[in-house]
Amino acid sequence: MPYEQDEAATPPERKRTEAKTNSAIEIYREIIKDNIDYDILIQDPKMDKDRLDEIVEIMLETVCTARKTIRIAGDDYPAELVKSKFMKLNSSHVEFVLDCMRENTTKIRNIKQYLKAVLFNAPSTIDSYYTALVNHDFYGSK
């Protein structure tokens, strides 16, 4: 009889741990959505909600990974660095990533890795990207 009680006690414990993990993921999902002004972005009629949701899921997956390192564009980075960068992304970065996707004409073999790389590099490349775009539009059409 005691064996049955122990056996019955085990599954709820596992469920509690699972629930804790799931609630942590949901908390991170809300933080990410808040950071990128998700509710505001999806109100834009030009915004592709499916693309935006993909970006949120990739960010969430990356932030919640248990790995010690994360590979970005062929290089391994400490997971904490990548997580930190992803948690600092905002709506401008997300719009930049979506612009990069729209402008890209080459075939992307691994879209998930491409998006991770663009998200990771967004804070350090966004200004140069838009400067080049303005220069092209302003000076390039002569």
Side-chain angles (χ1 to χ4, degrees):
M1 200 63 132
Y3 180 74
E4 286 176 19
Q5 284 177 336
D6 288 345
E7 195 173 41
T10 306
E13 232 176 85
R14 191 166 45 238
K15 284 181 187 169
R16 249 195 321 272
T17 305
E18 236 173 70
K20 213 183 285 179
T21 303
N22 287 340
S23 67
I25 290 170
E26 286 309 311
I27 290 167
Y28 273 111
R29 179 179 278 117
E30 288 309 308
I31 292 170
I32 289 168
K33 283 182 168 185
D34 191 45
N35 288 351
I36 65 168
D37 297 321
Y38 180 89
D39 292 337
I40 295 168
L41 287 175
I42 59 168
Q43 290 175 18
D44 182 346
K46 295 178 289 181
M47 181 56 61
D48 184 337
K49 185 181 179 306
D50 291 338
R51 249 6 98 246
L52 185 59
D53 289 340
E54 281 177 18
I55 288 171
V56 168
E57 289 307 308
I58 287 171
M59 290 173 68
L60 182 65
E61 223 176 81
T62 305
V63 166
C64 292
T65 188
R67 293 174 177 255
K68 297 274 185 240
T69 60
I70 297 173
R71 180 159 289 193
I72 304 284
D75 291 321
D76 290 332
Y77 291 92
E80 292 310 313
L81 171 68
V82 179
K83 290 176 182 185
S84 171
K85 277 189 154 198
F86 276 35
M87 291 304 292
K88 291 176 185 168
L89 295 175
N90 61 38
S91 59
S92 298
H93 298 121
V94 170
E95 289 178 294
F96 163 69
V97 169
L98 292 168
D99 284 349
C100 287
M101 291 288 295
R102 273 191 293 277
E103 297 291 320
N104 183 48
T105 56
T106 59
K107 184 178 181 188
I108 300 169
R109 290 184 310 180
N110 187 334
I111 193 71
K112 191 174 181 179
Q113 289 301 325
Y114 173 82
L115 284 171
K116 264 192 208 174
V118 178
L119 286 164
F120 180 78
N121 290 311
S124 50
T125 57
I126 190 169
D127 291 339
S128 297
Y129 173 84
Y130 286 118
T131 300
L133 206 57
V134 168
N135 285 342
H136 175 268
D137 290 348
F138 193 70
Y139 300 110
S141 55
K142 289 185 179 184

